[in-house]
Amino acid sequence: MFSTRKQALSEAVADMCRHQQGSHGWSAFHECLGAVAAAPEAGGLDRLLASLWRSRPAISDAHAITLLGIAVRHHVLRHGAPGEVFDPRLPLALRASALMDLLERRGEAVARHMESYSNSYTGARRFLLPQLVIGAFAEHFAVPGVRLLDLGTSIGLLPRQLNNEAVFRRFAPDLRWRPAAPPYRSIPLEFVCGVDRPPLPTLDWVRTCHGPSDYYERRFEEVLWSLEQSRKPGHDVVLRPLDLMDSPRLAAFLTDHRVNVVTCNFVLYQYGEDVRRELVRTVTGALDAPGLLLLMDPSHALARQGCTVHAYRDGSAEPLHIADVSDAHFMGDVTVGPGMGAVGGPESHR
C-alpha cells in the first residue's frame, strides 16, 4: 500500500516538474524531491510520508508535494539551512543530498508542520471573478442581502476585498474575458465570514507559501497592498477556525448564520474526490435559498497552469461550468462557460 501510494506521488512530482511556467519558484524543489523519492535509500522521506498519510489519509498528492515544499521552506527561513534545496543554479545531486539530509535530521519537525497546516497561498487577484459572479447572482435573483462564507479563507483576504472597487480596478485589466466580463456590481453584503482549518494561518505562514522567486515576491507584495487597501471602516470580516471536513459542524454553521453564498477557492484539490462530493452535499443542503456555492480549483492538480470555476445552486449536486481561467493567479484569459447564464442571468453570459 505504501509503495503504491509513494509511486503515485513520485509520478505527480514528475508531472509537476513539467509545468509550463518553468522556474516559478517551486520547480527546483520539485526536481529535488523527485530525485530523493527515486533514491534507493530515502528513509527520512519515507518516514515523513508514512506519518503524513496516517494523520491525513485524504490528502491529495498535489497537496502533499506543495505542503512538503512549504514546510521545508519554513524550516529554511527559520534556521537558515539548507537553502541550496531551492537554488536551481546548483547541481541536482547537491540539492537532493541536502534535502535528504534535512529530512533525516529534522524530518519529524517538518512532518509536524505538514500535519498541522495546509497550503495557505493567498492570491490578491482571485477575488476578481467571485466579485462579478456573486454580484450578477444577487442582482439576477433579487437577493436583498448576501450572507457569505469563504471556506479555506487563509488570512481572509478574498472576503475583505469584495466591494473594494479600488483593488478591483487595479487588477481587473490583467484579465481578458471571452466573450465579455459581467459588469461590475456592488454585492449587497450583509454578513461576511471566513473559516479555515485550525490553527488559523498567519501572514507569516502565507509568506512561506509563496515560492522563492521574484515572481512570487511580486505576488506577495500584491497581498500586502490589498490588505492595506481593505482596512476600511464598516467592512468587518469574521474569521473562525473550522475544518471543512467536519460536515456536521459546517452544516450547523451555515444554518445558524443563514448563509446563502459560499466560496471555496483552491482548497478542494488538496483532498480526494470523496471529500469534494461530501462538501458539495453538505453546503448545498444547508444554504439559504436562493443559494450559491462557487468553487475554484486548479485545472490539472497544479501540474499545469489554469483553473476551472464551477457553481452549485439550491441543493443541486450538479455542477454549473462558470469559467476557465488560463492562469490560476488570475492574469490572462477567462473563457466564460455555459453555466454563467444560469447563475447570473443572460446578461452575464454574452
Side-chain angles (χ1 to χ4, degrees):
M1 178 67 177
F2 175 85
S3 60
T4 301
R5 191 160 187 183
K6 185 182 176 185
Q7 179 60 33
L9 183 136
S10 297
E11 292 171 359
V13 172
D15 203 16
M16 292 169 81
C17 284
R18 293 188 287 269
H19 194 289
Q20 66 264 51
Q21 197 171 352
S23 184
H24 50 72
W26 292 113
S27 55
F29 176 79
H30 294 156
E31 185 182 31
C32 186
L33 176 60
V36 173
E41 298 292 333
L45 176 63
D46 289 350
R47 287 190 295 273
L48 181 147
L49 291 175
S51 175
L52 175 68
W53 288 332
R54 281 194 302 270
S55 64
R56 303 182 72 170
I59 194 170
S60 67
D61 289 335
H63 190 205
I65 293 163
T66 59
L67 194 52
L68 176 54
I70 292 164
V72 170
R73 177 160 160 74
H74 178 85
H75 182 89
V76 168
L77 290 174
R78 296 302 167 278
H79 302 286
E84 57 264 32
V85 168
F86 297 101
D87 191 344
R89 299 168 297 180
L90 298 176
L92 175 58
L94 189 152
R95 287 184 278 131
S97 176
L99 178 59
M100 190 176 293
D101 181 62
L102 171 64
L103 296 181
E104 284 289 346
R105 292 185 298 105
R106 301 187 180 274
E108 290 185 7
V110 174
R112 282 196 298 272
H113 275 95
M114 296 181 69
E115 292 165 14
S116 301
Y117 292 89
S118 292
N119 183 350
S120 300
Y121 176 85
T122 297
R125 299 163 178 264
R126 289 176 174 171
F127 88 105
L128 295 171
L129 190 144
Q131 175 74 53
L132 300 183
V133 173
I134 298 169
F137 166 76
E139 181 171 294
H140 180 60
F141 288 96
V143 180
V146 168
R147 300 183 61 82
L148 182 139
L149 177 64
D150 185 39
L151 296 178
T153 196
S154 183
I155 53 174
L157 180 60
L158 186 146
R160 296 181 200 277
Q161 290 173 305
L162 294 175
N163 287 350
N164 190 319
E165 196 165 356
V167 178
F168 184 90
R169 297 303 175 201
R170 172 177 172 179
F171 297 129
D174 292 332
L175 281 181
R176 297 178 297 272
W177 287 73
R178 307 174 190 278
Y184 179 92
R185 299 175 176 91
S186 182
I187 302 169
L189 294 172
E190 188 177 277
F191 170 79
V192 185
C193 181
V195 297
D196 212 325
R197 184 177 186 266
L200 287 175
T202 62
L203 184 60
D204 186 53
W205 177 253
V206 169
R207 174 68 185 88
T208 306
C209 294
H210 284 66
S213 68
D214 290 341
Y215 175 85
Y216 276 116
E217 286 294 336
R218 293 193 296 273
R219 301 291 80 76
F220 188 67
E221 288 170 3
E222 292 173 353
V223 169
L224 296 179
W225 179 83
S226 293
L227 277 174
E228 187 59 35
Q229 295 297 311
S230 300
R231 301 184 199 281
K232 57 181 183 178
H235 194 67
D236 297 327
V237 175
V238 179
L239 299 183
R240 293 285 184 269
L242 194 158
D243 191 338
L244 62 84
M245 297 181 71
D246 188 344
S247 296
R249 189 173 169 218
L250 175 58
F253 190 97
L254 292 166
T255 302
D256 292 347
H257 292 86
R258 296 180 290 110
V259 171
N260 54 10
V261 174
V262 169
T263 52
C264 185
N265 302 318
F266 297 85
V267 173
L268 290 187
Y269 84 91
Q270 300 177 357
Y271 305 101
E273 185 61 32
D274 55 336
V275 173
R276 182 186 186 95
R277 287 193 297 267
E278 176 63 17
L279 181 126
V280 170
R281 185 196 66 78
T282 299
V283 171
T284 57
L287 283 176
D288 259 22
L292 175 69
L293 167 61
L294 191 63
L295 299 180
M296 293 195 294
D297 265 317
S299 304
H300 303 90
L302 298 182
R304 303 290 180 270
Q305 285 181 293
C307 73
T308 303
V309 186
H310 289 95
Y312 297 82
R313 284 285 330 281
D314 293 337
S316 172
E318 289 298 317
L320 299 167
H321 184 194
I322 300 299
D324 294 302
V325 187
S326 63
D327 188 321
H329 296 149
F330 278 71
M331 295 174 284
D333 298 326
V334 181
T335 303
V336 176
M340 183 75 86
V343 169
E347 286 300 308
S348 66
H349 185 205
R350 294 174 288 174

